[in-house]
Amino acid sequence: MISAALSHLVAQLNQYLKSNFQLVEDVVVVSNLLELDGSVAPQANNKLVLTLVNIEKDTVPFRPASTLRSTDERLLQHGAPLFLNLYVMLSANFGAGNYAEALKYIGLAIAYFQQRPVFDRHNSPGMDRRIEKLLLDIQNLPIPDLNNVWSLLGGRYLPSMFYKVRMITVDANVVMGQTPVIGDPQLAARRG
């Protein structure tokens, strides 16, 4: 689900950049900036890189467990869905004299997500069916916090924007229990 959400955001941004700027190849990728050995991730070179920085449980949009009636007259109890917030960083990883390109693409990406901060089934018909909605909020990080994030990522600062992606729903759709329906015995006898 998390991969599907991030991949969807990247696909939408790539589609926007390709159609508006006559690009042939994707400019945006979901990736780490660095490999575990500290070397630059090859797929992230000269790209806008969407990196997952943190995952947290969202406690605000609580929805209780649901109950549905099955075909054999039992109530099926499903667990409550889990809502997650994803913290992602969009970085312009353009080196070797391409700083102007880095600023151009990060600016275009920020403008795109500013004009389209909500992704749902109406404006994104290809979105994974398990995802109800994605909402992007810019997160302003003070310089010390930004320094900490870049230290955790193991890299040097790149032009970047930090987003909170809200409303990621994880629902395993697992039946947690069954309860027989108690009804009028005369009504049941008439059905049989």
Side-chain angles (χ1 to χ4, degrees):
M1 173 86 72
I2 293 169
S3 176
L6 297 183
S7 295
H8 183 75
L9 293 175
V10 164
Q12 293 295 304
L13 184 53
N14 271 319
Q15 181 180 340
Y16 168 76
L17 293 172
K18 283 179 176 179
S19 66
N20 286 305
F21 303 102
Q22 290 73 46
L23 300 174
V24 177
E25 67 179 60
D26 288 345
V27 174
V28 190
V29 295
V30 177
S31 176
N32 287 325
L33 290 165
L34 300 173
E35 297 290 344
L36 292 176
D37 64 3
S39 64
V40 176
Q43 70 274 14
N45 194 23
N46 289 321
K47 302 283 185 185
L48 283 175
V49 182
L50 189 66
T51 305
L52 180 63
V53 176
N54 193 25
I55 305 168
E56 76 175 6
K57 178 181 177 182
D58 190 346
T59 57
V60 176
F62 176 75
R63 287 191 193 160
S66 63
T67 304
L68 299 171
R69 187 174 286 225
S70 71
T71 56
D72 65 348
E73 295 301 316
R74 293 186 176 269
L75 295 178
L76 304 177
Q77 298 168 337
H78 294 268
L82 173 65
F83 294 91
L84 299 175
N85 293 323
L86 305 180
Y87 289 92
V88 298
M89 183 171 293
L90 185 65
S91 309
N93 190 27
F94 292 78
N98 289 331
Y99 192 70
E101 287 291 297
L103 297 179
K104 173 182 144 186
Y105 282 112
I106 194 76
L108 292 169
I110 291 168
Y112 175 71
F113 287 136
Q114 180 64 28
Q115 72 184 7
R116 191 168 174 195
V118 177
F119 295 85
D120 58 22
R121 299 233 185 315
H122 299 292
N123 64 18
S124 297
M127 191 162 59
D128 189 300
R129 64 177 178 75
R130 299 170 296 170
I131 301 170
E132 184 178 325
K133 184 187 310 185
L134 300 174
L135 295 125
L136 277 79
D137 292 324
I138 291 175
Q139 299 293 293
N140 294 319
L141 295 180
I143 296 294
D145 292 344
L146 189 60
N147 182 48
N148 288 340
V149 168
W150 280 102
S151 294
L152 286 171
L153 295 175
R156 293 192 169 120
Y157 177 79
L158 296 170
S160 57
M161 182 59 76
F162 200 72
Y163 289 94
K164 178 180 182 179
V165 181
R166 296 181 23 221
M167 297 301 286
I168 304 294
T169 309
V170 177
D171 188 356
N173 204 19
V174 174
V175 175
M176 304 299 288
Q178 295 183 26
T179 307
V181 176
I182 299 174
D184 183 1
Q186 292 176 352
L187 185 60
R190 285 186 217 145
R191 281 190 211 155

